[in-house]
């Protein structure tokens, strides 16, 4: 655990130098409480008035705060000035708030400030101002909340353009909760109720609604996944397209295709129909979707590989964006995978240079790995990793290279020892996952070179090549100012808006360190302590991912923190399990969020199910416990994982898998893997992992092995080989 600080106090930050405002600021001796104003003025200049204004506002001195904010608006840097203008909208009487809102829009035009102003206009009943100021919105990019407020105001005013704008919003972008709430609470047409159960009835046909109203209702029912209804209505929608009453807009056609995919089993018939529609609406932006869904239907029908492939190729040719092309190519490759192994390898050779986002295809290659291993096509790993090198992500290339090297070592693939070494070296490069880099380094014997290991662990983790960061100095000033002046609670909400983009790695790590130390300074169990720990880790992890170059060992400790160390040390000693294993479990399961609950009902730091916690509590004779209590959760999770590892022949990897999927399944998978590789025993666990039938479980194993290796390396670098051997034995 980090040294406990006096309340809301932060000591030296490991002499981390952070430059912002393009020239200066050595950040040291920064505290969680407000720094002296005089020092703040020296470091932040005119921007200090924003932070001082916030402090005055907290103290209830509105007049003094208003003056500080006004001065910062005139003299401060871009973001501090904008936040000052936003702050003025939050206090005073209605007239003052409205005036501040109008001034905010004029000084800092943009959707974010417009949303703040629109909220104020809506609260004060100034619907005319709301409508006037939002007249230039781009419905395809603007925030849905802002559009919804505009349309509600237009409806109340009886604006003549109301229906047209509602239709534009409902067809410009995917349907959201804002669309649904607006439709349900403000726009809903009772006439549709009678047509709901039987859209082809005489009653339904006699209803009075426009094609645009029909399309809006159709999109809402699609959003609700009411596929039986939307399929029955789809012929009417197609008629509107054909007779020109409605333009086949991409969002409408996307819903149209999805509804038939999930609401009709006549796949071959639907594929032929959509192919015909694609030809009918050639050169229309919606042509892509007709070809795309025709391909999906042929794929679902089975035995239509050639037709499906042709449709996806036509979809790629008519794609309006790189993401659309990638989507069609992903399905083309998966169709090939489902057809034959030879066809997929040919498709990779043909299309490996066609995609734009290499990360998008990682799950496809993950499926391919298990398929190749199951079919005994071991030599193909070498061919594929060489073909995709430079086109697929580093993670995918490293995965194929590492497996190929291991298959060579096991005598399963044809090749030389030198080829295995080349493959392992490739697995160590670039943005490959820590898992493959670590295991490849072990195979290469890099443990004898501490500097090589440090390079390996401290590389950026993005699967893409690092892109030079254009640092936003105004944003860095704002965030570091929140830290310096004692507003830790404002850091993460601001950081979330950009997810750490355009912020240097140094500043991101500074913020992460600051929040972690603020958490340490709070009483144990306080909610903000948990929140700051989680925020710190998220910022640090993103900082490593976005880094342009290797990070420092000290920064890596923020990416792999040792929070709750007193509890971890105590119970790891009691249950004879490595602290690195438990830290890895907590980091991978909950990201150190003691309050988190998964969609499946797993609770707390080690993500225990309620029934598992109940069984463990009975064993410990505890009738009163909470799985969100950090000490209890760590105790229960440590005991449970230690018991699983002992039942799995002391294998941490098999213990991890059992923790995730159950020990019976793991034993069945292991036996199946032995059969696949023609072995009776001694199944190499790194190859076994690749044969586990569930991608989620495979990735779970990789994450925990990786994190354990890093935690152990941070504790004692000389143990690297010993750690890998103990984990993969």
């Amino acid at each position: 655990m980090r040294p406990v600080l006096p309340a809301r106090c932060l000591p030296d930050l490991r002499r981390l130098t952070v430059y912002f405002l393009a020239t200066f600021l050595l950040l040291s001796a920064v505290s969680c409480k407000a720094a002296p104003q005089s020092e703040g003025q020296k470091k932040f200049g005119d921007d200090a008035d924003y932070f001082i204004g916030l402090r005055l506002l907290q103290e209830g001195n509105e007049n003094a705060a208003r003056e500080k904010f006004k001065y910062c608006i005139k003299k401060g840097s871009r973001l501090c000035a904008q936040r000052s203008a936003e702050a003025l909208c939050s206090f005073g009487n209605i007239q003052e708030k409205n005036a501040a809102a109008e001034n905010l829009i004029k000084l800092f035009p943009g959707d974010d400030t417009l949303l703040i102003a629109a909220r104020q206009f809506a609260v004060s009943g100034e619907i005319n101002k709301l409508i006037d100021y939002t007249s230039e919105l781009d419905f395809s990019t603007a925030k849905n909340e802002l559009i919804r407020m505009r349309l509600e105001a237009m409806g109340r005013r009886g604006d003549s353009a109301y229906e047209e704008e509602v239709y534009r919003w409902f067809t410009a972008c995917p349907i959201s909760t804002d669309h649904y709430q607006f439709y349900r609470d403000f726009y809903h047409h009772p006439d549709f109720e009678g047509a709901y159960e039987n859209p082809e009835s005489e009653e339904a046909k006699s209803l009075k609604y426009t094609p645009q109203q029909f399309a809006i209702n159709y999109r809402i029912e699609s959003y609700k996944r009411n596929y039986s209804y939307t399929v029955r209505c789809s012929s009417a929608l197609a008629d509107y397209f054909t007779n020109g009453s409605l333009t086949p807009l991409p969002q409408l056609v996307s819903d149209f295709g999805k509804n038939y995919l999930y609401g009709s089993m006549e796949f071959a018939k639907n594929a032929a129909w959509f192919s015909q529609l694609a030809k009918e609406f050639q050169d229309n932006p919606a042509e892509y979707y007709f070809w795309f869904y025709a391909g999906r239907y042929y794929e679902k029908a089975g035995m239509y590989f050639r037709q499906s492939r042709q449709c996806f190729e036509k979809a790629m040719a008519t794609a309006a964006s790189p993401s659309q092309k990638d989507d069609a190519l992903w399905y083309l490759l998966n169709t090939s995978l489902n057809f034959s192994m030879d066809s997929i390898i040919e498709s990779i050779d043909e299309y490996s240079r066609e995609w734009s986002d290499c990360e998008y295809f990682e799950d496809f290659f993950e499926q391919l790995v298990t398929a190749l291993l199951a079919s005994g096509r071991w030599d193909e790993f070498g061919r594929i990793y060489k073909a995709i090198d430079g086109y697929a992500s580093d993670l995918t290339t490293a995965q194929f290279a590492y497996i190929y090297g291991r298959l060579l070592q096991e005598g399963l693939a044809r090749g030389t020892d030198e080829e295995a070494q080349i493959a392992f070296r490739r697995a160590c490069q670039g943005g490959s996952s820590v898992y493959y880099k670590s295991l490849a380094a072990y195979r290469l014997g890099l443990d004898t070179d501490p500097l090589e290991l440090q390079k390996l662990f401290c590389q950026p983790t993005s699967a893409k090549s690092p892109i030079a960061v254009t640092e936003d100095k105004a944003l860095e000033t704002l965030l570091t100012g929140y830290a310096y002046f004692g507003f830790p609670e404002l850091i993460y909400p601001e950081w979330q808006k950009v997810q750490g983009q355009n912020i240097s790695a140094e500043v991101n790590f500074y913020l992460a360190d600051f929040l972690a130390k603020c958490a340490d300074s709070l009483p144990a169990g306080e909610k903000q302590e948990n929140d700051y720990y989680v925020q710190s880790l998220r910022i640090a992890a993103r900082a490593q991912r976005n880094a342009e170059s290797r990070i420092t060992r000290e920064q890596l400790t923020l990416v792999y923190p040792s929070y709750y160390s007193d509890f971890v040390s105590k119970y790891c000693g009691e249950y004879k399990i490595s602290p690195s294993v438990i830290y890895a479990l907590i980091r991978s399961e909950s990201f150190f969020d003691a309050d988190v609950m998964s969609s499946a009902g797993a609770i707390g730091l080690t993500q225990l199910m309620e029934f598992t916690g109940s069984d463990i509590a009975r064993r410990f004779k505890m009738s009163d416990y909470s799985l969100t209590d950090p000490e209890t959760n760590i105790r229960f999770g440590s005991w449970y994982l230690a018991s699983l590892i002992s039942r799995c022949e002391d294998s941490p990897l098999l213990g991890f898998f059992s923790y995730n999927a159950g020990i019976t399944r793991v034993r069945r998978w292991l036996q199946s893997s032995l059969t696949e590789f023609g072995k009776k025993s001694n199944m190499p666990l790194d190859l076994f992992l690749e044969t586990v039938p569930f991608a989620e479980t495979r990735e779970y194993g990789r994450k925990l092995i990786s994190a354990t290796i890093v935690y152990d390396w941070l504790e004692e670098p000389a143990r690297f080989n010993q750690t890998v051997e103990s984990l993969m034995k």
Side-chain angles (χ1 to χ4, degrees):
M1 181 176 288
R2 297 166 181 268
V4 177
L5 311 177
R8 300 182 63 77
C9 181
L10 182 64
D12 287 346
L13 299 178
R14 302 187 184 92
R15 300 179 299 278
L16 177 63
T17 302
V18 181
Y19 286 94
F20 67 102
L21 296 174
T23 55
F24 73 94
L25 187 59
L26 177 62
L27 287 166
S28 60
V30 181
S31 64
C32 288
K33 64 181 180 180
Q37 291 187 14
S38 58
E39 291 297 318
Q41 291 281 9
K42 290 179 184 178
K43 292 183 181 294
F44 287 85
D46 293 324
D47 286 328
D49 286 296
Y50 167 60
F51 305 108
I52 296 169
L54 288 179
R55 183 63 60 200
L56 290 167
L57 196 59
Q58 276 190 348
E59 295 168 355
N61 193 342
E62 292 188 357
N63 290 332
R66 183 177 286 107
E67 292 307 310
K68 289 293 183 183
F69 291 142
K70 286 181 177 179
Y71 190 84
C72 187
I73 290 171
K74 294 178 181 178
K75 300 289 187 178
S77 63
R78 173 177 53 84
L79 268 180
C80 286
Q82 180 178 323
R83 294 295 177 266
S84 294
E86 291 170 2
L88 287 174
C89 300
S90 67
F91 64 97
N93 59 40
I94 291 177
Q95 289 75 21
E96 288 172 328
K97 291 179 182 177
N98 284 341
E102 291 192 75
N103 193 47
L104 173 66
I105 299 170
K106 292 173 183 176
L107 292 175
F108 306 100
D111 284 356
D112 288 339
T113 53
L114 192 55
L115 179 58
I116 293 170
R119 287 170 180 161
Q120 174 56 35
F121 295 147
V123 167
S124 61
E126 294 280 0
I127 64 171
N128 289 333
K129 285 184 179 179
L130 196 160
I131 294 169
D132 290 344
Y133 278 112
T134 57
S135 60
E136 302 298 324
L137 286 182
D138 181 347
F139 281 20
S140 64
T141 59
K143 288 181 170 62
N144 284 319
E145 180 190 354
L146 182 57
I147 301 172
R148 178 168 58 84
M149 284 195 292
R150 170 179 171 77
L151 294 177
E152 288 177 359
M154 291 178 71
R156 291 190 181 98
R157 193 171 75 175
D159 199 291
S160 59
Y162 171 68
E163 287 287 346
E164 177 187 345
E165 292 206 13
V166 171
Y167 178 70
R168 182 152 58 95
W169 183 39
F170 272 78
T171 55
C173 53
I175 298 295
S176 67
T177 54
D178 281 295
H179 288 88
Y180 181 65
Q181 288 172 0
F182 173 82
Y183 178 85
R184 183 193 62 196
D185 300 335
F186 204 81
Y187 185 78
H188 180 65
H189 284 256
D191 282 350
F192 281 116
E193 293 291 341
Y196 188 85
E197 293 299 329
N198 187 7
E200 296 180 357
S201 66
E202 291 300 320
E203 178 187 5
K205 293 177 181 177
S206 67
L207 293 178
K208 296 179 181 179
Y209 51 78
T210 67
Q212 288 75 18
Q213 289 169 342
F214 175 89
I216 290 170
N217 180 72
Y218 181 86
R219 293 217 70 199
I220 287 293
E221 296 304 324
S222 301
Y223 173 75
K224 292 160 61 178
R225 301 182 182 179
N226 187 7
Y227 298 127
S228 60
Y229 173 73
T230 52
V231 165
R232 292 198 302 272
C233 287
S234 289
S235 59
L237 184 64
D239 288 343
Y240 284 137
F241 291 157
T242 302
N243 65 29
S245 298
L246 289 175
T247 301
L249 299 170
Q251 291 293 332
L252 271 175
V253 179
S254 178
D255 279 359
F256 189 35
K258 192 181 302 179
N259 290 329
Y260 272 98
L261 186 66
Y262 298 114
S264 171
M265 299 295 289
E266 297 180 297
F267 297 121
K269 177 182 175 182
N270 294 335
W273 183 32
F274 270 63
S275 297
Q276 182 58 43
L277 287 170
K279 296 172 184 175
E280 185 175 339
F281 292 100
Q282 188 175 3
D283 298 327
N284 184 289
E287 180 185 359
Y288 165 85
Y289 288 101
F290 287 123
W291 285 124
F292 176 79
Y293 280 105
R296 297 286 308 275
Y297 303 146
Y298 277 130
E299 179 191 20
K300 286 280 189 181
M303 304 304 293
Y304 288 90
F305 171 69
R306 182 177 58 81
Q307 293 92 329
S308 177
R309 183 185 177 97
Q310 288 174 347
C311 288
F312 288 131
E313 287 173 337
K314 290 178 179 178
M316 289 170 62
T318 57
S321 66
S323 63
Q324 282 189 347
K325 184 176 180 180
D326 281 354
D327 207 20
L329 177 53
W330 189 94
Y331 278 99
L332 185 153
L333 293 173
N334 272 271
T335 300
S336 301
L337 181 59
N338 294 331
F339 182 70
S340 76
M341 200 56 62
D342 289 333
S343 68
I344 185 57
I345 292 170
E346 291 171 4
S347 295
I348 290 172
D349 286 340
E350 183 176 354
Y351 289 109
S352 61
R353 294 162 178 78
E354 291 286 326
W355 54 64
S356 125
D357 182 359
C358 58
E359 288 187 357
Y360 186 76
F361 294 86
E362 286 177 355
D363 61 339
F364 159 73
F365 282 105
E366 180 75 15
Q367 294 180 65
L368 180 59
V369 166
T370 56
L372 289 170
L373 291 175
S375 60
R377 301 288 290 264
W378 298 315
D379 291 332
E380 303 295 353
F381 281 92
R383 173 182 169 183
I384 291 173
Y385 104 73
K386 293 169 187 174
I388 64 176
D389 195 1
Y391 302 100
S393 70
D394 278 329
L395 189 154
T396 293
T397 306
Q399 180 181 19
F400 275 79
Y402 177 78
I403 295 171
Y404 178 59
R406 288 290 292 119
L407 291 170
L408 288 174
Q409 287 186 331
E410 292 292 322
L412 296 169
R414 291 172 293 183
T416 64
D417 289 341
E418 183 182 358
E419 287 179 295
Q421 296 295 300
I422 292 171
F424 291 141
R425 283 196 290 273
R426 178 60 187 89
C428 284
Q429 293 176 13
S432 168
S433 73
V434 173
Y435 176 79
Y436 291 111
K437 286 192 291 190
S438 298
L439 297 193
Y442 168 73
R443 298 290 169 184
L444 290 168
L446 295 185
D447 62 299
T448 59
D449 189 340
L451 289 178
E452 282 299 314
L453 283 182
Q454 182 157 339
K455 290 178 184 177
L456 182 122
F457 289 123
C458 294
Q459 287 177 339
T461 57
S462 175
K464 299 177 181 177
S465 299
I467 299 174
V469 174
T470 303
E471 295 167 12
D472 186 337
K473 297 300 179 182
L475 178 57
E476 292 186 351
T477 299
L478 180 66
L479 290 167
T480 52
Y482 284 144
Y484 186 87
F485 285 92
F487 294 101
E489 70 279 4
L490 299 181
I491 291 172
Y492 191 69
E494 190 73 50
W495 182 91
Q496 271 190 307
K497 295 175 184 177
V498 296
Q499 290 292 304
Q501 301 291 337
N502 300 329
I503 302 173
S504 69
E506 289 79 13
V507 169
N508 270 319
F509 279 117
Y510 161 69
L511 297 172
D513 199 26
F514 175 82
L515 289 169
K517 288 187 169 79
C518 285
D520 288 342
S521 72
L522 294 170
E526 190 168 313
K527 186 181 186 307
Q528 269 197 321
E529 176 199 35
N530 178 67
D531 291 347
Y532 289 157
Y533 279 147
V534 176
Q535 292 167 12
S536 171
L537 178 51
R538 288 176 178 165
I539 292 173
R542 182 54 63 96
Q544 184 186 21
R545 181 177 174 83
N546 292 347
E548 297 179 59
S549 58
R550 286 191 297 273
I551 65 175
T552 68
R553 184 187 179 91
E554 288 74 19
Q555 289 168 339
L556 190 64
T557 63
L558 291 166
V559 184
Y560 292 87
S562 302
Y563 305 142
Y564 308 108
S565 60
D566 289 348
F567 302 144
V568 171
S569 297
K570 177 181 177 181
Y571 294 112
C572 285
E574 188 171 336
Y575 304 127
K576 305 296 186 294
I577 187 170
S578 166
S580 295
V581 168
I582 296 303
Y583 284 130
L585 179 72
I586 294 171
R587 186 186 187 279
S588 301
E589 286 281 7
S590 66
F591 235 49
F592 285 89
D593 188 347
D595 297 325
V596 71
M597 178 181 289
S598 74
S599 58
I603 302 170
L605 292 169
T606 63
Q607 287 290 276
L608 291 166
M609 299 297 290
E610 190 66 64
F611 60 83
T612 305
S614 179
D615 288 344
I616 298 171
R618 281 195 295 272
R619 179 177 292 272
F620 291 151
K621 296 181 172 55
M622 294 173 61
S623 58
D624 186 19
Y625 66 93
S626 171
L627 291 179
T628 58
D629 172 62
E631 181 173 7
T632 300
N633 195 287
I634 289 171
R635 181 187 182 190
F636 284 19
S638 299
W639 177 86
Y640 185 49
L641 180 57
S643 68
L644 288 172
I645 291 173
S646 68
R647 294 168 62 192
C648 294
E649 301 178 358
D650 294 324
S651 167
L653 176 61
L654 297 182
F656 289 149
F657 280 152
S658 299
Y659 195 96
N660 178 257
I663 195 168
T664 302
R665 281 183 180 174
V666 173
R667 287 170 175 165
R668 186 168 63 245
W669 294 340
L670 187 57
Q671 188 57 50
S672 176
S673 185
L674 286 166
T675 302
E676 281 184 23
F677 285 92
K679 292 177 174 286
K680 294 183 179 180
S681 61
N682 300 322
M683 181 67 208
L685 291 185
D686 54 349
L687 293 180
F688 164 64
L689 180 146
E690 306 295 343
T691 67
V692 168
F694 297 105
E696 178 186 352
T697 306
R698 293 193 297 272
E699 186 57 23
Y700 179 85
R702 293 186 195 110
K703 282 182 178 179
L704 272 92
I705 292 294
S706 302
T708 302
I709 291 172
V710 175
Y711 273 112
D712 234 30
W713 178 78
L714 287 170
E715 179 69 23
E716 180 49 68
R719 284 205 305 256
F720 175 75
N721 263 12
Q722 180 184 344
T723 301
V724 176
E725 288 172 358
S726 68
L727 290 171
M728 305 306 292
K729 64 183 179 182

